[in-house]
Amino acid sequence: MKIILPSRFLSLVILLIGCQLGAFGQNQATNPVAPANRVTIGIERLVTPEFLPHLQNRRVAILTNHTGVMPDRSHLVDMLHARPEVKVVKLFSPEHGIRGQEDNHVADATDPKTGLKIISLYGKVRKPTPEMLQDVDVLLFDIQDVGARYYTYIATMASVLEAAAENKKPLLVLDRPNPITGIYVDGGVGTNAKQPVTGPNYLPIVHGMTVGELARMFNGERAAKKLSQAELVVVPMRHYTRNQWFEQTGLPWVKPSPNMLNLTTATLYPATCILEGTNVSEGRGTMQPFEFIGTPWIDGEKLARQLNSYKLAGVTFKPIQFKPDSVVDGIRIYPPKFVGQTCYGVQAVVTDRNTFESAKASVYIMHALKTLYPTQLEWKNSRLDGLWKTDITRKQLQAGETPQKIVSAWADELKYFRNVRAKYLLYP
């Protein structure tokens, strides 16, 4: 059946289509990264003639997870498993599992897509043993980090690098952007300050490095401790500069973990993760984790006034209420604090991410809670000291020390770290 539309209707359709195309063009024009200048990540360069020979006709073990993907979201494991000239023999899993569906300790398993054996490095075993590497010729790492020392993926990479050095196995690290830029460096180093930076325990809270740069530093600094070094190859990015935030790279966001929902989460994470060492919720179990601070007994108006009185750059706090759940974005997470209970508190709202100092904010947040709720706030000492890498910060806060004095004491150790860090940077 032939349908004839009135000319006025056709004109309207054409006008609407034109408007939509115009809007699309405007959206494209405001995109901060033109497609031609999108950052090219390490995984995209792996199967080129420059780097593929490192894997050809060799038995490969891969440490990766659900973030180890191409921009079209095809997975590294699936990609290499399908190539006849590369023999993938096993997978090593970090926290949250190979496919990103776990939120606590990870068990050994079999990958359902490839049938490959998965060995957990986030359970009783945290470092590959010599027996695990007997049938391996080369190790490969590809995981998206979030730029904060608290995050466990870098610790897992460091343990694999150590095993590679001790067992004389080459290690390839596929580089990816630091989501919160490679410029901001801040936070205390703790008891490991001013020592060779051979692992995450020697980093400040925010390190301002990519995973490839961290691998170079951890490996290079082993020489200062007279430790063996790994045969390390970093597959670098192209078109990446240190001042880029993640959405400026042109790459799709893949949640690095169940509670790391977006770039805002990653930006605030160094500030509010410290609440894991208290009885105050950091917003886990909501669609805005690490943005929310609260409990059933906090007065949100009062806490917002206290935090805003510090006049912290680039951030403001507003009263909110929320109810944590055990499922976030379709994934069951480790039971959060106050699950099913209404919590009152504040939302941290980043107003200028380029001036916001998240590591310093962690101290001010703890100071505000201690000032307003000295008897209700519970300090989980071992957890707090583990996050800060020292008991000094906790004891200073408990003794009533000002946040300004606490953060000013970081200056010498940060200067030392920046000098070490400068030797291993790859990008302008």
Side-chain angles (χ1 to χ4, degrees):
M1 180 174 66
K2 189 175 182 180
I3 300 175
I4 300 176
L5 297 175
S7 58
R8 283 184 299 175
F9 183 82
L10 283 172
S11 299
L12 179 61
V13 171
I14 292 169
L15 178 62
L16 289 171
I17 291 173
C19 290
Q20 290 298 315
L21 289 173
F24 176 76
Q26 290 173 357
N27 290 337
Q28 289 295 96
T30 57
N31 188 333
V33 178
N37 293 328
R38 176 182 65 76
V39 169
T40 302
I41 48 179
I43 186 175
E44 296 179 87
R45 304 185 64 197
L46 178 62
V47 292
T48 64
E50 184 178 1
F51 295 106
L52 187 58
H54 291 286
L55 305 180
Q56 284 176 317
N57 304 312
R58 308 188 80 181
R59 298 169 299 176
V60 181
I62 304 175
L63 169 58
T64 190
N65 65 2
H66 59 290
T67 67
V69 294
M70 297 278 279
D72 66 0
R73 298 183 185 264
S74 55
H75 198 281
L76 172 67
V77 172
D78 304 331
M79 182 176 75
L80 291 183
H81 187 254
R83 296 187 73 97
E85 75 274 36
V86 178
K87 184 174 177 57
V88 181
V89 294
K90 66 185 63 173
L91 309 176
F92 288 112
S93 172
E95 185 182 9
H96 306 300
I98 290 288
R99 303 290 176 174
Q101 298 298 309
E102 306 291 336
D103 195 45
N104 200 4
H105 286 206
V106 179
D108 292 350
T110 300
D111 181 37
K113 291 194 70 173
T114 62
L116 290 166
K117 181 180 181 182
I118 301 172
I119 299 173
S120 171
L121 296 182
Y122 199 74
K124 292 182 179 179
V125 175
R126 298 295 176 107
K127 171 183 167 182
T129 65
E131 293 73 26
M132 293 174 185
L133 299 179
Q134 280 183 346
D135 61 345
V136 173
D137 296 320
V138 60
L139 290 155
L140 181 62
F141 174 92
D142 186 22
I143 295 179
Q144 177 64 60
D145 183 45
V146 300
R149 182 187 66 208
Y150 307 138
Y151 223 50
T152 63
Y153 297 151
I154 293 307
T156 306
M157 180 185 73
S159 72
V160 170
L161 187 149
E162 185 177 332
E166 293 170 351
N167 293 276
K168 295 181 171 51
K169 304 289 182 178
L171 171 64
L172 270 72
V173 173
L174 310 185
D175 212 2
R176 291 181 176 270
N178 184 323
I180 58 175
T181 79
I183 293 177
Y184 178 49
V185 179
D186 202 2
V189 182
T191 55
N192 294 319
K194 299 184 179 181
Q195 297 184 49
V197 189
T198 55
N201 287 341
Y202 302 88
L203 295 173
I205 294 171
V206 183
H207 49 69
M209 302 179 78
T210 69
V211 290
E213 292 171 336
L214 286 166
R216 280 165 47 85
M217 181 168 63
F218 294 163
N219 197 44
E221 292 293 287
R222 288 177 63 84
K225 288 188 172 182
K226 300 189 181 340
L227 298 170
S228 59
Q229 293 177 281
E231 181 186 329
L232 174 68
V233 175
V234 173
V235 182
M237 295 177 282
R238 286 179 173 159
H239 313 303
Y240 175 71
T241 55
R242 313 203 67 77
N243 63 346
Q244 287 179 302
W245 291 82
F246 190 85
E247 92 280 352
Q248 295 171 327
T249 66
L251 298 166
W253 178 267
V254 178
K255 293 185 302 182
S257 58
N259 281 288
M260 195 61 60
L261 301 187
N262 50 50
L263 182 56
T264 299
T265 317
T267 303
L268 285 162
Y269 176 72
T272 53
C273 179
I274 201 68
L275 296 174
E276 292 181 357
T278 72
N279 61 337
V280 176
S281 170
E282 65 283 358
R284 287 182 183 270
T286 75
M287 289 301 292
Q288 291 174 277
F290 301 104
E291 294 181 53
F292 293 167
I293 301 168
T295 72
W297 39 264
I298 279 177
D299 182 328
E301 295 277 357
K302 189 180 293 185
L303 181 57
R305 281 196 301 272
Q306 180 70 27
L307 286 166
N308 288 326
S309 74
Y310 299 135
K311 302 187 184 309
L312 300 177
V315 67
T316 189
F317 299 87
K318 66 179 185 179
I320 47 93
Q321 68 180 61
F322 59 93
K323 185 181 292 186
D325 196 352
S326 58
V327 177
V328 174
D329 205 19
I331 296 178
R332 182 165 294 280
I333 64 170
Y334 188 72
K337 299 167 191 169
F338 309 115
V339 63
Q341 299 180 55
T342 299
C343 293
Y344 305 91
V346 299
Q347 177 183 359
V349 180
V350 177
T351 57
D352 184 349
R353 62 187 182 181
N354 291 309
T355 61
F356 174 50
E357 297 176 307
S358 55
K360 291 184 177 67
S362 69
V363 178
Y364 284 88
I365 288 168
M366 287 296 297
H367 183 267
L369 291 168
K370 188 260 181 187
T371 299
L372 296 178
Y373 303 100
T375 59
Q376 291 160 295
L377 176 65
E378 294 179 6
W379 306 69
K380 300 177 182 178
N381 293 354
S382 61
R383 179 62 173 148
L384 275 171
D385 297 348
L387 288 167
W388 270 320
K389 300 302 176 189
T390 178
D391 63 357
I392 294 174
T393 306
R394 170 179 56 82
K395 289 178 177 178
Q396 286 176 315
L397 284 164
Q398 289 174 328
E401 194 60 80
T402 66
Q404 295 91 332
K405 185 169 182 179
I406 293 170
V407 300
S408 66
W410 297 342
D412 286 346
E413 56 201 66
L414 281 172
K415 181 180 179 181
Y416 172 88
F417 173 75
R418 286 192 182 98
N419 288 336
V420 173
R421 168 181 172 272
K423 297 185 290 185
Y424 300 103
L425 300 181
L426 292 168
Y427 310 98

